[in-house]
C-alpha cells in the first residue's frame, strides 16, 4: 500500500538536489513517486516504505527534511 508523505526540505535548492533525494527515496521504495518544488522546498512522496524509512534515506544524503503535518 502506498503512503503519502510530505516534507519541507530547506536545503533542497536545485534540480541536482531533487535527483539526489529522488534516488535516495527510490532505493528504499523502488517505484516511489517523488514530486518536488524547489522554489518552496516542498516534496510529496508516494511510496510503499514508511515515512521514517523515507526520511532516513533523505537524511543519509545530508538533507534535513521536516515532516509536514496533515491538515
Amino acid at each position: 500500500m502506498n503512503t503519502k508523505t510530505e516534507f519541507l526540505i530547506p536545503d533542497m535548492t536545485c534540480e541536482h538536489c531533487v535527483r539526489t533525494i529522488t534516488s535516495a527515496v527510490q532505493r528504499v521504495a523502488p517505484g516511489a513517486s517523488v514530486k518536488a518544488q524547489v522554489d518552496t522546498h516542498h516534496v510529496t512522496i508516494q511510496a510503499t516504505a514508511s515515512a521514517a524509512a523515507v526520511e532516513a534515506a533523505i537524511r543519509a544524503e545530508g538533507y534535513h527534511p521536516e515532516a509536514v503535518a496533515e491538515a
Side-chain angles (χ1 to χ4, degrees):
M1 179 166 114
N2 279 353
T3 302
K4 179 180 172 184
T5 308
E6 297 184 43
F7 294 105
L8 287 177
I9 307 178
D11 43 359
M12 178 183 72
T13 59
C14 65
E15 290 303 318
H16 177 266
C17 296
V18 172
R19 288 190 298 275
T20 301
I21 290 166
T22 299
S23 293
V25 170
Q26 290 180 340
R27 278 194 298 277
V28 296
S33 168
V34 180
K35 296 182 181 171
Q37 297 174 311
V38 174
D39 58 335
T40 62
H41 309 285
H42 187 265
V43 178
T44 302
I45 299 164
Q46 291 276 349
T48 55
S50 69
V54 168
E55 182 176 354
I58 295 169
R59 286 188 182 281
E61 293 298 326
Y63 296 94
H64 301 90
E66 302 167 11
V68 175
E70 294 290 323

